[in-house]
Amino acid sequence: MQPPPSRHDASTAVTSARGVALEQARVVTIAQNVPGPLAVARLAALGARVVKVEPPAGDPLFALCPAWYNEMHAGVTVERVDLKTTDGRARLGALLADADLLITSQRPAALARLGLDPASVRVEAPRLRLLRIVGSERDPEQPGHDLTYQAQAGLVRDALPTTLFADVMASECTFSAALLLLQDAPGAWRDVGIEDSLDPLLAPLRHGLTTPAGPLGGGLPYYAVYPARTGWIAVAALEPHFERRLCELLNLVPGASPAARFLERSALEWAAWGAEHELPIAAVRQPG
């Protein structure tokens, strides 16, 4: 996965001589919800010193999922600061004066009102690097969340996604971009687009591999999900030797649907049968 290109002028060109080792890095983050905190958790786990500035009401993620919030903030110092006040902005300024990297997830216009646009940051905190998480690099002012970014990318059908693909992928891009920025000269900055981070996930769709009629989207009878007597099973007999063995054991003509045979046993029984015969079959684990 390639993080977005660095955006800086010649005066802040990449230079390892002026970079910061991760275990010595001082990171300040005002990023909320999932992508920022998830990336910052990895930075903290690898030795970075992280201070997170939250609004007086806290990060909305805490109310939605306190267990995951607590997991992501282990080793992170959290301060509640009202950045709309003079005292709050002064406190943030003091933190940034001693920091190597600032991570944000607010829209650029909101950051500009706080004096946290790239030009202002370069003047007020010349040693700082800036990493902005935005909805999309094409339209960074557009509001949205994981669901809308997945929908715009074509990953949502008629049900909610089973996980936060856009947020998690964006956290990976943010982590990678943070590592690169710490090797940039002070004053450098980058954008990570949440929607843009989905690009690697879209390649199988774009090339027709996982479309409904595509080879891995329902076009092959031995790479599919089937109901069992109880539960469901996933069958991934993709290679020719797996397909031949499956057909031989189930007494099927090659290419014939195995659906009726899979109704003969439970999902767990088929999973055990697959393991016994060294076939890629797994019981579908239900959420929760």
Side-chain angles (χ1 to χ4, degrees), residues 13 33 39 57 128 149 158 204:
N33 292 311
L128 193 67
Y149 299 129
D158 57 356

Side-chain angles (χ1 to χ4, degrees), residues 207-252:
H207 292 285
L209 189 62
T210 55
T211 54
L216 305 188
L220 296 178
Y222 308 120
Y223 190 97
V225 176
Y226 289 99
R229 189 174 62 207
T230 57
W232 290 72
I233 58 171
V235 180
L238 186 60
E239 290 82 3
H241 66 281
F242 284 141
E243 178 181 341
R244 286 194 300 269
R245 184 161 179 77
L246 181 66
C247 289
E248 289 170 1
L249 291 170
L250 294 180
N251 195 26
L252 293 173

